[in-house]
Amino acid sequence: MPLYSNSTYIIGASCHSVLGDNLPASVPLLRQKPGSPSKLDCRLTGTETKVPYFLLSGCDYHDADVRYEFVLTNIIQTAISDAGLNEQEVAAMGLFLGSSSFDIAREEIRYAKALEDEDNAIPLAECGMAIVAENIRKRFGIKGPDLSFNTACTSSANAAWYAHLAIQSGLIEHALVLTVEFANDTTTYGFQGLQLISQNGVAPFDERRDGIVLGESCAAAVLSARPPVDGQRSISIAGGANLCDTYSMSITHEDGTAVADVIRQALTSADIEWSDIQAIKCHGTATIGGDAAEAKGMLSVFPELPRCAVIKPFIGHTLGACGLSELLLFGAAIQQGFVPGTPGLSNEGENLGFVLNQTPSEALPGFYLLNYFGFGGNNTSLVIALEGELS
């Protein structure tokens, strides 16, 4: 019997990040110490600065066409193939795309080339939230409803949540949830200008934390109300919530009240108590205010915190892609029997009231909480269910 009668199952999935171009290659690396990011040139201040960035494995950073044509197509094809959907099911499914930059990386290259050929080149003239989704619809013959989400760091988490709601409402039978976040100057310079990028690495919830390290990711998942094959260990979305905190234009309230509210609503949505949660995938940006708000919010909901993990030290902060990318990586890890640890951090997170798992630990069937708290105060929590035993 399913853990939750209104679950929406992940029946196909793929993710390409710095860890690798597929989930089977990426997940074992979550048992190891996180690697180091590459360095990109940033001349925003007039002097050359090296900006740390977790870039896609096996891809030339400067070749945006490869990213949008090959990488994007490959992960979608893999997810659909894993799901075993036929041509009619693909045509009828919905498309839910979440990103904070969409096709800006490709447009920046177009603009740079235009500057070489003409005097009145227009920046960002041919990009927009709907263009990526429309191209995917045409390429894969998708005729169902499509929605594009740009809610900063919660973009693809919200895409997954609304895909779940659309399936549960009976609007569609299957949904393709997609995210794309590729390195671009607009994003890099923006965060560098805000002085939010760390030069010292990702240290979530640590007293030494001093900012984010950006990362690229592209991920796709097929959701369905139809459970996977009997006996197969599965991941499903069992509940969730999305709230917008209007405290600030940039961050959620540091007292943690908004974080606590969205977590409580997510637990209520899944019809479970705080004590039912096996472990938490924290958002863990490693910013001073963001980590403080998340810690206070969680501690106000959980009298005793379960194990806590963070994925960003492994792949960087993938912004609009972190919702789906971290869901798939964390979900695949617990399917394989372990909750990732975060080795290399000290115990100095105790000043926030808790510390992260330092080493991987056993993942048992049950419920897991995934947190995402976006720039601008958009907050999302998802409850996922792990069902079945390891084969």
Side-chain angles (χ1 to χ4, degrees):
M1 288 291 292
L3 286 171
Y4 184 62
S5 60
N6 292 324
S7 290
T8 300
Y9 291 89
I10 298 174
I11 61 172
S14 185
C15 180
H16 189 165
S17 69
V18 69
L19 297 178
D21 63 4
N22 60 79
L23 284 170
S26 301
V27 173
L29 299 179
L30 297 177
R31 292 183 180 271
Q32 303 175 19
K33 185 176 180 178
S36 300
S38 302
K39 295 293 183 75
L40 298 184
D41 292 334
C42 179
R43 297 180 176 84
L44 180 66
T45 60
T47 58
E48 185 173 302
T49 302
K50 295 289 186 179
V51 178
Y53 220 117
F54 286 96
L55 300 174
L56 289 186
S57 67
C59 287
D60 179 1
Y61 160 60
H62 299 287
D63 196 340
D65 285 338
V66 167
R67 284 163 155 70
Y68 286 98
E69 299 299 329
F70 175 75
V71 173
L72 197 57
T73 299
N74 184 62
I75 64 139
I76 296 171
Q77 287 176 335
T78 300
I80 292 174
S81 177
D82 283 351
L85 300 187
N86 60 39
E87 186 176 340
Q88 292 73 30
E89 289 171 325
V90 170
M93 71 180 176
L95 172 61
F96 297 78
L97 169 64
S99 175
S100 62
S101 64
F102 293 91
D103 54 352
I104 285 177
R106 171 179 269 176
E107 174 61 14
E108 286 180 347
I109 292 176
R110 184 210 62 79
Y111 176 56
K113 291 178 179 177
L115 284 174
E116 298 174 357
D117 301 329
E118 54 188 279
D119 296 328
N120 59 344
I122 301 174
L124 304 183
E126 298 178 13
C127 67
M129 289 198 296
I131 294 175
V132 176
E134 183 60 24
N135 289 340
I136 295 302
R137 285 170 60 88
K138 290 177 179 178
R139 175 164 298 183
F140 289 91
I142 298 171
K143 297 180 173 62
D146 77 89
L147 292 170
S148 293
F149 297 78
N150 188 348
T151 52
C153 312
T154 60
S155 297
S156 58
N158 287 335
W161 176 234
Y162 280 88
H164 163 83
L165 294 175
I167 290 171
Q168 292 300 316
S169 71
L171 179 64
I172 51 177
E173 185 177 356
H174 303 99
L176 173 65
V177 184
L178 178 64
T179 190
V180 50
E181 205 71 51
F182 297 144
N184 60 86
D185 290 343
T186 303
T187 297
T188 306
Y189 288 5
F191 280 96
Q192 180 73 3
L194 290 168
Q195 299 181 332
L196 289 176
I197 294 181
S198 171
Q199 294 293 328
N200 303 313
V202 188
F205 302 103
D206 195 294
E207 192 175 58
R208 303 165 299 170
R209 69 191 188 279
D210 63 351
I212 69 173
V213 174
L214 294 169
E216 293 186 298
S217 187
C218 187
V222 176
L223 304 187
S224 174
R226 182 177 67 203
V229 178
D230 289 343
Q232 180 180 342
R233 207 173 211 204
S234 64
I235 295 292
S236 62
I237 297 175
N242 169 250
L243 296 174
C244 197
D245 176 12
T246 58
Y247 164 75
S248 166
M249 290 182 66
S250 58
I251 61 172
T252 194
H253 202 303
E254 291 186 27
D255 67 3
T257 53
V259 169
D261 285 345
V262 75
I263 292 174
R264 289 192 181 99
Q265 288 195 25
L267 296 176
T268 299
S269 168
D271 195 24
I272 61 174
E273 303 293 332
W274 68 267
S275 56
D276 293 316
I277 294 296
Q278 296 271 346
I280 301 173
K281 193 283 313 168
C282 304
H283 189 52
T285 59
T287 57
I288 299 299
D291 282 9
E294 185 171 8
K296 290 175 183 176
M298 289 192 299
L299 288 167
S300 69
V301 175
F302 294 88
E304 182 179 343
L305 272 177
R307 295 164 292 169
C308 293
V310 179
I311 302 297
K312 289 178 179 62
F314 295 93
I315 65 170
H317 192 348
T318 57
L319 303 175
C322 77
L324 185 61
S325 300
E326 294 180 7
L327 165 60
L328 297 184
L329 287 166
F330 183 83
I334 62 175
Q335 275 185 295
Q336 293 186 21
F338 72 99
V339 175
T342 315
L345 294 181
S346 72
N347 288 332
E348 294 173 1
E350 290 177 349
N351 69 312
L352 292 176
F354 77 101
V355 294
L356 297 171
N357 266 16
Q358 298 297 297
T359 58
S361 57
E362 185 180 11
L364 299 173
F367 295 99
Y368 293 79
L369 178 70
L370 283 67
N371 286 336
Y372 308 96
F373 307 120
F375 193 86
N378 192 272
N379 302 320
T380 299
S381 288
L382 300 176
V383 176
I384 64 172
L386 172 65
E387 303 179 39
E389 301 296 334
L390 278 174
S391 58

